[in-house]
Amino acid sequence: MRIIGTGSAHPALTVTNQMLEKFLDTSDDWIRTRTGISQRQLISDEKLEDLAVNAAKRALENSGISAGDLDFIICSNVVNEYITPALSCIIQGRIGATCPCIDLNGACAGFIYSLDIAESYFSSKKDIKHILVVCAEEPTRMVDWSDRSTCVLFGDGAGAVVLGRGDNVKSIRLTTTSKQESLYQQRKLEHTPFITKEEADGPLVMKGHDVFKLAVSSSLRDIEGVIADGNITKHDVDHYLLHQANIRIIDTIRESLDQCSEKFPNNIEKYGNTSSASIPILLDEMNKGSKLKKGDKIVLSAFGAGFTTGACLLYW
Ligand code: ACO
């Protein structure tokens, strides 16, 4: 398969570090030096589905195909207002598509997981011509906004790609390592007269140091894996697009790979961590900013709660 169009959408509200200083015991300096984040776009009066639909429409416009040409829609999402139906079903109706849809929760690695499923569809179903992947996330609704160690990290947004047939995706590697205690959120379901067990309900819990270490080691393993699969070296890669979780994680991975910062574009300063949307948003910025040339070798790499990780080598 190959990517034939990209799109993204952000909420209207910009929340700067200085705005957070007003109600949290934090500082612009701490957040910028520890994470690389200066501001983030936050959902206020929009619905996540509005962002998802806008990102999808922009990706379709960029691809030159119409919604009616889509054969499958995958939406990567961790939380939204609906338990059911899946967000992908809502997107399908609003963009005017008629194809089957599915949601996937691969946490922050959801874009790479979606690409792998799409690739399998192209390989196994010969009538599939176009697949839409939309990553739509509102992690700012998962955190406790009085917990300075988590709420400063996240932003909301949506990124999308339209995929067509081609030979541009050279390798994808996925791993899952069950490790709930480092990063999780639990919520209560509706009560029944028969429930006797204790159930937890609360905001996102994160052991930042654990996530940092896991992120660096797993990303390096996955990146080296897809590069080896593609029979190229790390120096042949033109762009490394990493999950935008923390600039220090990105820099640690870059230094371990002994690469220059130009090869590791980032936009975490503007958007914070938008979960699985972060890579397609960055990809869209690079595509629309004419930063990608035909044939450029791109490595995507992400990690998320689970612990899910994945990397992909593709040629633009
Ligand atoms: N402002 C000021 N001080 C703070 C803040 C804040 N916002 N947050 C924490 N601190 C304090 C701590 O309380 C601590 O104080 P203490 O020394 O008095 O105890 C001090 O700063 C240092 O805290 P650390 O946790 O050691 O800071 P660290 O340098 O490790 O940075 C961070 C923390 C940014 C969370 C880092 O560990 C990190 O980025 N980890 C990875 C996070 C991540 O990628 N999560 C992915 C989630 S995405 C998903 O899948 C949903």
Side-chain angles (χ1 to χ4, degrees), residues 26 30 34 108 148 183 206 208-209 211 245-246 248 273 304-305:
T26 190
W30 192 97
R34 300 290 180 123
C108 299
R148 65 181 183 174
L183 189 57
M206 182 181 78
H209 289 263
V211 176
N246 183 327
R248 290 190 301 143
N273 178 349

Side-chain angles (χ1 to χ4, degrees), residues 25-27 30-31 34-35 107-108 148-149 152-154 183 204 206 208-209 211-212 243 245-246 248-249 273 275 303-305:
D25 180 14
T26 190
S27 67
W30 192 97
I31 301 171
R34 300 290 180 123
T35 71
C108 299
R148 65 181 183 174
S149 66
V152 304
L153 303 174
F154 296 97
L183 189 57
L204 186 80
M206 182 181 78
H209 289 263
V211 176
F212 199 107
H243 171 44
N246 183 327
R248 290 190 301 143
I249 294 178
N273 178 349
S275 188
F303 57 88

Side-chain angles (χ1 to χ4, degrees), residues 110-122:
F111 183 53
I112 317 281
Y113 274 70
S114 302
L115 291 180
D116 196 50
I117 291 173
E119 175 80 331
S120 315
Y121 259 71
F122 280 115

Side-chain angles (χ1 to χ4, degrees), residues 110-137:
F111 183 53
I112 317 281
Y113 274 70
S114 302
L115 291 180
D116 196 50
I117 291 173
E119 175 80 331
S120 315
Y121 259 71
F122 280 115
S123 311
S124 64
K125 294 175 183 271
K126 296 300 168 214
D127 52 337
I128 295 259
K129 292 195 179 66
H130 300 108
I131 298 178
L132 171 69
V133 172
V134 186
C135 301
E137 304 278 19

Side-chain angles (χ1 to χ4, degrees), residues 75-121:
C75 179
S76 163
N77 169 257
V78 177
V79 285
N80 73 87
E81 292 171 40
Y82 286 89
I83 305 272
T84 195
L87 197 50
S88 53
C89 300
I90 297 171
I91 298 167
Q92 186 238 40
R94 286 192 50 189
I95 63 174
T98 54
C99 58
C101 306
I102 192 171
D103 274 21
L104 173 157
N105 180 349
C108 299
F111 183 53
I112 317 281
Y113 274 70
S114 302
L115 291 180
D116 196 50
I117 291 173
E119 175 80 331
S120 315
Y121 259 71

